[in-house]
Structure formats: structure tokens, C-alpha cells
């Protein structure tokens, strides 16, 4: 154990900044806000201003060469862009004194993807991995005065095809319905940029992250990783500074220090002299250990379970003989996290569920149920994915619906630093897939070499975030081999051994070396440890007794709890719906497009048989005639109802199953969208919440009364409690309503109790059997001092067959919340009805957000809030408000 030294930090701070740049004496920023970039195509017929960070589709759109990429059929109309080759060029000035430093390092934070680099006409490097930070020593290519950097991109489609010729690996191509491109798996590039079942193909090229040149002597700190352990009285913080001294072996000599600010008045400081030889690549790590009394630190908790205190940690390296300090600042949270895979019988006894292993996250010593969703890139163009406003909106939407975990899915990108910082702040844990999804991957030397660098850099970059919970090697590739998704069965042994080579032999040891505190799962879904024991390709990777599962069923009745198989942890499940007409209108205004049979609709539905699957679900429960003059609008609306009800049923089934299967996670597919098209998302492209996302706030509520209609026709009622205190002496109130009246015909109450952090079956009710099932609905609520739980409902028969549902008289009134000026964008919406209303759905022309929506109205008057994005007068808003509901 190292003694903590309390030094005065200001000694270091004084000497930190020269030219306003920490870390190196000079830095030339080469983003387009600092220098001018141009991009031209191969035959030079196009030459336009370019953006860095940026990408070719953004640039051509800005130049008016192509239309808005997400309009109409532009994804295929602009496909020629991806077949051409593009060169990005800039000119910049280098002052002679810059060149006096030992290192002149070009840093490309992100190059998408295959490119050849030239400085002043001399080639000096090439890139082939979008997820790698490239660092080149360009001292010999630079001159004082004007220099010219050129980045020649190869067509990603040609690059992928060329590699596939040599290193083919399945699948042959994506389904035709995707209107996509083949062999994305050959490139270390966002896999979804060649199309997905929820997204268009935009095989981008460009410098999608920052570019700069650093001039320095000695070494700089590139990244900082932190390793946190605790005992009863202390936290042990190991800080690893990852140093770079250029790109060749060198000696690093200096003073390394770290300061942890524990509160406004107190910081802990530690430091030591270092004298180290780097490896041949100029890199070396140096460590500092800090011991912190437990009582000066507050625990970091996932959203819904507590606060998210974060502490600034500043690490500095003062090179001997130099006047500057290279600094790196990170914000860390103190928490422990474990993925527990123990004998399940310890939790469930000698039952069917008790066979196999548990699979749950224990945070700060408590087993916590992980509620959440799956994250896909926030934009199909990678350069736009870090947009703060969009990231904020999506993550806050997750936070506001009680989500504690998002899975960053393997077909996207390692997200921006900002994304993970925001997750740290909001308490959103991240299940981070490595970026391999739904395909077999090559294992030739060139591929494996760049993958190693990718894994190392990204683990080091993200490792310090409190939000990162677990790493997973890939999305669905174990199940794909076992299930022969890509016709790999004839070569099973080859594919299995390549799979093991990539995810087990290459990736696993890197992750475990750099981040020993977190679990690395080889695949998602998998049987976890059991898959590993079974040689990595389990006989049934969906085994309910192990690990996580993905479950999709488009045929059985998705509103029925009883169709869903048990699981320890549901990391994907979902159902499609259409985006709202308002969102669709941002992609097309041709009225002929607004029909299921239009070429436009067919073009945007990438899921084979997708619209039929939606229709099957809708028509099981809701009445919708094909000859209805309002068919398309209703189909869109009903698809959102059906999706919301399906995901509600499945999610509540998983939450209930904590009681008898120790199910401990429900992450539905998917949080967000990349374009205006039918998809599994709960939030539309542009940010509008679908009915599903409003439902999520209720079905993920920390305390929930959750009834289940069983196969025998009983209603099992569960009380779910995600709080640290038990619920004692509560009452579950059941109101039985006749569809034709707002007054319950019967009200009963049942005593309810449950432990902390648990789900308990309370009662099996058969009260409604006496009644005529078509004529009633059941409303469940919880009565308990100081505990809130949203109401819940049982519809005993499919809604299309209920009797007595009548057309309501509805009045919606808007009133400005007459308080402080801060709330000038907030309005009270009062809804009055004289009959029961199903799925009452408010929409607004003015951009804004309702506090609740998609409601079952069983009371004469309901109030909620509407908050507009920008301030607008009340009349305009009132005029733009419309509503829908289900009626047959
Ligand atoms: C030059 O490239 C553009 C874009 O790929 C293409 O449309 C055009 O036909 C080409 N011109 C010639 C002369 O090849
Ligand atoms: C990129 O560089 C600009 C300065 O050119 C800086 O403001 C910005 O924060 C950088 N972005 C990232 C993600 O580091
Ligand atoms: C820091 O602590 C760890 C274990 O607690 C130990 O293995 C390591 O050697 C220590 N490092 C230094 C630099 O003291
Ligand atoms: C569990 O059940 C099996 C079969 O019913 C029985 O043979 C076994 O003894 C039981 N184990 C325990 C620990 O009760
Ligand atoms: C369709 O019209 C709306 C309203 O005028 C407009 O905001 C939208 O941009 C238009 N969409 C397209 C694709 O032009
Ligand atoms: C649609 O047609 C069916 C018969 O094919 C008829 O029963 C129904 O009333 C029609 N619905 C509407 C809304 O016209
Ligand atoms: C529901 O109301 C209707 C119409 O008032 C009535 O005919 C029916 O008997 C009622 N059903 C029940 C179960 O109360």
C-alpha cells in the first residue's frame, strides 16, 4: 500500500500551460474551424469545401451536389458517392520553432476508413480501421512554412470487395430488402453503414474525428486508466498513465503526479519521479497508487438507485528539463460492479429455475435489476453521431424512463467521450459490445493486427468511466454459427476456430489485461461462463438457465405474457412500429408515399415481411379494415399501440420473473432511430417519443403493480420493488370497469408486501370470471404511504371484441403554467372525457414534449404537461394540438 502524500498542487499548476495547450508545447489544429479543407473525386469533376471532423455525405450535401441524405430514395440515389474515391486536402503553416521539438506527431483521431496519407506529395502512411487513433511521426515530411496534407480514400465498397476476394467470410450479402452493400465485415468500419434492417446504407468516407499535429519533447500522457478496489475503510485507486514519446524507443524521465478532488475544499495528491524506457513504439505506462478513506467518498449508483457523484482526477507529467506539464483530466465514480454467475440454486433452490447459473449485476454489493434498452448510432453518418444536443436528448430520455443500462450495440461505433461522460452523469450503465455484429469475421494477419490496436485503444479510452459495466466480444455471432444463419454449417469447424481466434485468443486477453476489473463476455447473447466451458459455441446459446438471450417472435400474440420464454437476462427483444406521420413528413411530402403499398413505404421497410408482421399483431387485438379511408394513418397509429403493448407485456414478464427465474435484466431493442422508417425504436429519428417510450416510464417504474393474465384465465398479480426498502402493509386496489362507464362496477383490495429489490407474486384473482369478459376492464393500483406506482390494466379479451366501448366526448384545453418565467414553455393540458378512452394520444405540430401520453382514460378529467422546445404563443400551440385514440 502506498502512503498518500498531500502535496500542494499549485506548484504544478503554475507551470502547466504554454500557448494555452496542455500536454505539448505546440499543437496545430487541423479541423475545418482552423484550416480550409477541400475534397475532390477521382476524375476531379467534383471539388468542394470539406469539413473536418466530417464526411463525404455531409460535404456533398452542404455543397448541394446531393440532396438531404435522408429524403425519399436518396440513400440509393446517392450510392455512387461510395463507389467513387475521394481525396481530402488541406494546407497549413508550420512555424520554424515548432520543428525544433523532438516529436512532430500527426494525430488522426478517426479516419473512415481505408486511406493513403501524403504530406507535401510524399506518402507516409495508410489507414484501415475507423476505430483506431492513428499517430504518425511526420517530422521528416514537414517544412517550415506552408505544408499540404492529403488523405486519399479508397471506395469502401471496392475495399470491402477486394478484401472479400482474398478473405471471404460469410455472409455473402445482406438481404435484398436492406438495399444495402455486401462485405461490411471485411472492413473495420461501422457495420451498419452498409445498411441494416432498421437503417439505410451510407458507406461513408472522411475524417470523422479531429486531426492535429503535436510538437513536443519528452513524453505526453495520452490516456489515463483507473482501477478501483475497496475494503471496509478504504478505496484503492490505481492510476495508470499511458505515455507516448513519439513513435520510437526512448527514455522518459520526469515527475508523474495525480490530484483527486474529493470535495470543494479537499484534494488528495500523490506523485513520484519516473525514469522508464518506452517500448519500440514509444509507449510506456506509469502507475500511481492512491488510498482514500472510504468516508470522504460517496458512492456512484446507477439511475434510480442513488446519486452519481463524480470526482475530478488530474494526472500530470512534468518531463525533466522541460517547462511544461502534460495533463489529462478524467472524472471518475466510485462503485463496485460484478457480473455474478453463480449456482442458481442458491437463489432459487431445487427448482427448474434453480438449475444452471445466475447472471446479474451486483453494484456496490446489491443485486440490481437492469432496466433499459439498446443504443444504435445516433446518426447514420458517423461524424454527426456525437452531436451533444441529440446525445443529451436520447440519454435524458433514457434517464427519464427509469433506464439504468443501455447496450451499445456491436454494429455501431465506440461512442464519443461525451456520450460516456453523460452516461456517468446520468447513471446509465453501459453494456459495451465490441464492434462485430451479425457476421463472421476474417482472421488474416492484417485484420487481426488492426483489431488488436482498436481493442487496446478503445478499452484504454473508455475504461475509466463509471458507466461502463461489461464488455462483450460481439453481437449474435455465437448464435449465428450455432443456428447456421449464414450457411456456415458445411464449414462449421473452420468458422468455429476463426471465431475462437478472434474473440478468445486475440481480444479476450487484451481486455482482461487492460481492464481486469470488468467481465469480458465472448458474445452477446451467450451462456456466459457455460458457453466458455462448452468451447465457446454452446449447443443452445439461448439456454434459459444461463447468460443473456435475445428473443424475437413476430407470429405469436405479443400482448400475451405467456408466449415469452424465461431468461436470466433479456439483452434484446422488440417489435417494429411506424414513425409518426410528422416524422415521416421530414423525409417526404408526396401524398402517394403515405400508403403501405407505395414504393416509398416498401423501400423503407427493411425487415423482410415486416409490414405483414405488424399487421398480424395489430389485427389480433384491434379492428382495422383495409378499406377504411383512413387506413394508413390508423395503421401507423395502431402499429405504435401494438409495439407499446407488446414490449410492455414482455418487459413486465421479465420483471415478474425475477421472482421465480431470477431474471435480472430487460433491455429492449431499440432506443433510437437513424431515419424515418418502420423500426423497433421507441424514439423516432428527430427525437419524438413513440408510444413505447411513454409506456417505458410506466413499465419500468421503480414500484409497479403488474398483473398477468394466465393461460387458465386467472390474473396473477405481482408487486415489483426496485427500491432498497421493503414494501409493507400496502394494498393493491382492483377496479372493475364496465367499458360503458367511468364508474367502477366493483372495487376490491388485496394486502400486498414485498422485500427490497424483489418481485413477489401477491395473489391469483378470479374476480372477473363472474362477469362477462367482453364487457369489462380491470384497473390495478397500489395504495401505500409515500410510494408511487403507475396504474396498470388487464383487458380480459382482445380489444377488437369488447362490448360497450363508446365514442367519447373529449375536450382538451391548454393553459400556461402561470409561474416564473423559466417555465414559460410549460403548459398544463386538461383532458375531459365522458367515457373510457383507450390509448389517448396527443400530438403537437409545435415541437415539444408531453409529460405523459398513450393513456387509458378511466377518469373524467386528466391533467398533464406539455413543454415546448422554443417559446411560442399559446394559440399557436393549441391550434397545433391533435389527438387520437383507439375506437372500433
Ligand atoms: C466523373 O465522376 C463522376 C462522379 O462519380 C461521374 O458522374 C462522371 O461521369 C465522371 N466523369 C467522367 C468523365 O468520367
Ligand atoms: C476537436 O477539436 C476542437 C478544436 O479544433 C475542440 O474544440 C473539440 O473539443 C475537439 N473534439 C473532441 C471530441 O476532442
Ligand atoms: C499499486 O497497487 C497494486 C496492488 O494494489 C500493486 O500491484 C502495484 O504494484 C502498486 N503499484 C505501485 C506503483 O505501487
Ligand atoms: C433436488 O431435486 C432432486 C430431484 O427431485 C433430488 O434428487 C435432489 O436430492 C434434490 N436436491 C436437494 C439439495 O434437495
Ligand atoms: C414537408 O413539409 C414540411 C412542412 O412544410 C416541411 O417541414 C418538411 O421539410 C417537408 N419535407 C420534405 C422532405 O421536404
Ligand atoms: C370494409 O369492407 C368490409 C367487407 O369487405 C365491410 O364489412 C366493412 O364494413 C367495410 N368497412 C368500411 C370502413 O367501409
Ligand atoms: C355493462 O354495461 C352494459 C350497458 O350498460 C350492460 O348491459 C351490461 O350488463 C354491463 N355489464 C356488466 C358486466 O356490468
Amino acid at each position: 500500500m502506498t502512503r498518500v502524500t498531500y502535496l500542494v498542487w499549485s506548484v504544478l499548476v503554475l507551470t502547466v500551460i504554454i500557448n494555452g495547450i496542455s500536454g505539448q508545447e505546440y499543437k496545430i489544429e487541423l479541423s475545418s474551424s482552423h484550416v480550409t479543407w477541400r475534397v475532390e473525386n477521382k476524375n476531379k469533376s467534383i471539388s468542394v469545401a470539406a469539413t473536418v471532423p466530417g464526411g463525404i455525405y455531409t460535404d456533398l450535401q452542404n455543397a448541394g451536389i446531393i440532396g438531404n441524405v435522408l429524403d425519399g430514395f436518396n440513400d440509393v440515389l446517392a450510392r455512387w458517392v461510395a463507389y467513387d474515391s475521394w481525396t481530402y486536402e488541406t494546407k497549413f503553416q508550420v512555424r520554424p520553432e515548432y520543428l525544433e521539438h523532438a516529436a512532430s506527431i500527426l494525430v488522426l483521431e478517426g479516419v473512415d476508413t481505408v486511406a493513403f496519407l501524403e504530406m507535401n506529395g510524399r506518402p507516409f502512411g495508410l489507414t484501415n480501421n475507423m476505430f483506431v487513433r492513428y499517430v504518425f511521426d511526420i517530422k521528416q515530411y514537414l517544412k517550415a512554412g506552408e505544408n499540404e496534407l492529403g488523405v486519399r480514400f479508397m471506395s469502401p465498397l471496392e475495399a470491402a470487395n477486394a478484401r472479400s476476394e482474398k478473405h471471404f467470410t460469410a455472409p455473402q450479402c445482406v438481404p435484398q430488402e436492406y438495399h444495402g452493400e455486401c462485405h461490411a465485415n471485411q472492413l473495420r468500419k461501422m457495420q451498419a453503414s452498409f445498411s441494416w434492417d432498421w437503417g439505410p446504407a451510407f458507406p461513408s468516407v472522411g475524417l470523422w474525428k479531429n486531426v492535429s499535429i503535436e510538437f513536443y519533447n519528452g513524453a505526453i500522457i495520452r490516456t489515463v486508466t483507473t482501477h478501483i478496489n475497496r475494503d471496509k475503510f478504504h478505496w484503492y485507486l490505481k492510476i495508470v498513465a499511458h505515455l507516448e514519446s513519439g513513435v520510437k524507443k526512448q527514455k522518459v524521465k520526469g515527475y508523474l503526479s495525480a490530484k483527486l478532488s474529493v470535495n470543494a475544499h479537499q484534494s488528495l495528491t500523490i506523485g513520484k519521479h519516473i525514469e522508464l524506457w518506452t517500448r519500440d513504439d514509444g509507449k510506456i505506462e506509469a502507475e500511481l497508487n492512491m488510498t482514500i478513506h472510504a468516508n470522504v467518498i460517496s458512492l456512484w449508483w446507477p439511475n434510480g438507485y442513488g446519486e452519481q457523484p463524480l470526482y475530478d482526477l488530474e494526472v500530470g507529467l512534468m518531463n525533466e528539463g522541460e517547462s511544461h506539464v502534460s495533463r489529462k483530466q478524467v472524472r471518475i465514480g466510485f462503485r463496485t460492479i460484478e457480473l455474478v454467475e453463480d449456482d442458481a440454486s442458491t437463489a432459487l433452490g431445487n427448482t427448474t429455475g434453480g438449475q444452471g447459473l445466475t447472471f446479474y449485476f451486483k453494484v456496490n454489493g446489491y443485486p440490481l435489476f437492469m432496466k433499459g434498452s439498446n443504443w444504435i448510432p445516433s446518426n447514420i453518418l458517423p461524424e454527426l453521431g456525437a452531436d451533444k444536443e441529440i446525445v443529451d436528448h436520447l440519454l435524458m430520455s433514457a434517464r427519464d424512463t427509469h433506464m439504468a443500462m443501455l447496450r451499445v450495440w456491436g454494429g455501431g461505433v465506440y461512442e464519443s467521450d461525451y456520450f460516456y461522460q453523460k452516461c456517468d452523469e446520468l447513471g446509465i450503465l453501459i453494456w459495451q459490445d465490441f464492434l462485430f455484429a451479425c457476421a463472421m469475421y476474417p482472421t488474416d494477419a492484417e485484420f487481426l493486427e488492426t483489431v488488436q490496436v482498436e481493442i487496446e485503444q478503445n478499452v484504454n479510452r473508455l475504461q475509466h468511466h463509471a458507466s461502463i459495466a461489461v464488455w462483450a466480444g460481439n453481437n449474435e455471432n455465437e448464435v449465428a454459427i450455432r443456428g447456421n444463419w449464414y450457411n456456415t454449417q458445411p464449414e462449421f469447424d473452420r468458422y468455429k476456430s476463426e471465431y475462437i481466434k478472434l474473440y478468445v485468443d486475440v481480444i479476450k486477453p487484451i481486455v482482461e489485461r487492460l481492464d481486469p476489473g470488468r467481465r469480458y463476455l465472448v458474445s452477446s447473447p451467450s451462456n456466459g461462463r457455460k458457453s466458455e466451458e462448452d468451447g465457446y459455441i454452446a449447443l443452445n446459446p439461448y439456454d434459459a438457465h444461463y447468460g443473456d438471450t435475445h428473443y424475437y417472435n413476430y407470429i405469436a400474440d405479443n400482448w400475451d405474457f405467456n408466449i415469452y420464454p424465461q431468461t436470466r437476462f433479456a439483452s434484446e427483444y422488440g417489435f417494429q412500429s411506424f414513425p409518426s406521420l410528422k416524422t415521416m413528413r421530414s423525409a417526404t411530402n408526396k401524398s402517394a408515399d403515405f400508403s403501405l403499398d407505395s414504393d416509398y413505404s416498401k423501400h423503407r421497410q427493411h425487415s423482410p415481411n415486416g409490414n405483414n408482421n405488424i399487421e398480424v399483431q395489430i389485427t389480433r387485438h384491434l379492428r382495422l379494415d383495409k378499406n377504411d379511408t383512413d387506413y394508413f394513418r390508423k395503421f401507423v397509429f395502431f402499429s405504435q399501440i401494438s409495439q407499446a403493448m407488446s414490449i410492455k407485456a414482455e418487459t413486465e414478464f421479465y420483471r415478474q420473473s425475477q421472482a421465480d427465474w431470477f431474471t435480472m435484466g430487460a433491455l429492449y431493442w431499440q432506443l433510437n432511430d437513424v431515419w424515418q422508417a418502420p423500426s423497433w425504436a421507441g424514439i423516432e429519428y428527430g427525437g419524438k417519443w413513440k408510444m413505447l417510450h411513454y409506456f417505458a416510464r410506466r413499465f419500468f417504474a421503480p414500484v409497479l403493480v403488474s398483473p398477468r393474465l394466465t393461460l387458465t384465465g386467472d390474473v396473477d398479480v405481482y408487486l415489483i420493488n426496485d427500491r432498497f426498502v421493503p414494501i409493507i402493509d400496502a394494498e393493491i386496489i382492483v377496479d372493475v370497469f364496465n367499458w360503458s362507464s367511468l364508474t367502477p362496477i366493483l372495487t376490491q383490495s388485496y394486502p400486498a408486501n414485498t422485500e427490497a429489490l424483489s418481485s413477489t407474486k401477491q395473489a391469483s384473482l378470479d374476480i372477473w370470471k363472474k362477469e362477462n369478459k367482453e364487457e369489462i376492464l380491470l384497473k390495478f393500483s397500489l395504495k401505500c404511504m409515500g410510494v408511487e406506482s403507475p396504474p396498470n390494466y388487464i383487458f380480459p379479451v382482445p380489444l377488437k371484441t369488447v362490448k360497450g366501448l363508446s365514442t367519447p366526448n373529449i375536450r382538451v384545453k391548454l393553459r400556461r403554467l402561470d409561474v416564473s418565467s423559466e417555465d414559460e414553455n410549460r403548459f398544463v393540458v386538461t383532458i375531459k372525457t365522458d367515457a373510457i378512452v383507450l390509448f389517448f394520444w396527443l400530438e403537437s405540430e409545435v415541437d415539444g414534449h408531453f409529460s405523459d401520453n398513450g393513456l387509458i382514460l378511466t377518469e373524467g378529467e386528466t391533467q398533464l404537461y406539455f413543454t415546448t422546445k422554443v417559446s411560442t404563443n399559446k394559440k399557436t400551440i393549441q391550434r397545433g394540438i391533435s389527438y387520437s385514440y383507439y375506437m372500433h
Side-chain angles (χ1 to χ4, degrees), residues 41-46 80 84 86:
N41 68 336
K42 193 172 185 180
N43 68 21
K44 301 189 195 304
S45 61
I46 300 168
W80 60 270
D84 211 330
W86 300 90

Side-chain angles (χ1 to χ4, degrees), residues 1-2 229 236-239 272 286-290:
M1 204 184 305
T2 312
N229 282 301
Y236 302 101
L237 172 62
K238 185 170 99 177
I239 302 157
K272 69 174 184 190
E287 274 177 31
L288 290 170
N289 280 343
M290 210 181 247

Side-chain angles (χ1 to χ4, degrees), residues 31 251 315 561 624:
S31 59
K251 193 183 227 179
V315 184
F561 284 60
L624 182 58

Side-chain angles (χ1 to χ4, degrees), residues 357-395:
L357 300 175
T358 61
F359 189 92
Y360 67 91
F361 289 93
K362 198 183 234 185
V363 185
N364 299 326
Y366 291 88
L368 301 184
F369 190 103
M370 290 299 150
K371 296 176 289 196
S373 185
N374 282 264
W375 172 276
I376 62 165
S378 77
N379 200 296
I380 198 64
L381 303 182
E383 68 269 20
L384 303 180
D387 182 292
K388 286 185 181 169
E389 203 182 320
I390 292 169
V391 169
D392 282 354
H393 174 69
L394 291 173
L395 292 178

Side-chain angles (χ1 to χ4, degrees), residues 138-203:
I138 51 165
K139 195 171 163 73
Q140 57 170 307
Y141 303 96
L142 286 180
K143 54 184 196 233
E146 188 172 82
N147 288 264
E148 185 170 353
L149 172 63
V151 184
R152 292 180 189 284
F153 287 94
M154 188 174 172
S155 152
L157 305 179
E158 279 169 18
N161 281 328
R163 275 194 46 90
S164 185
E165 295 280 305
K166 279 203 236 163
H167 307 287
F168 173 80
T169 186
Q172 211 35 266
C173 198
V174 291
Q176 196 187 324
E177 287 87 344
Y178 291 18
H179 309 291
E181 298 293 336
C182 313
H183 310 307
N185 54 349
Q186 294 293 340
L187 297 185
R188 292 313 297 146
K189 178 173 175 59
M190 180 170 102
Q191 298 293 282
S193 79
F194 277 37
S195 77
W196 216 264
D197 54 5
W198 40 256
F202 282 102

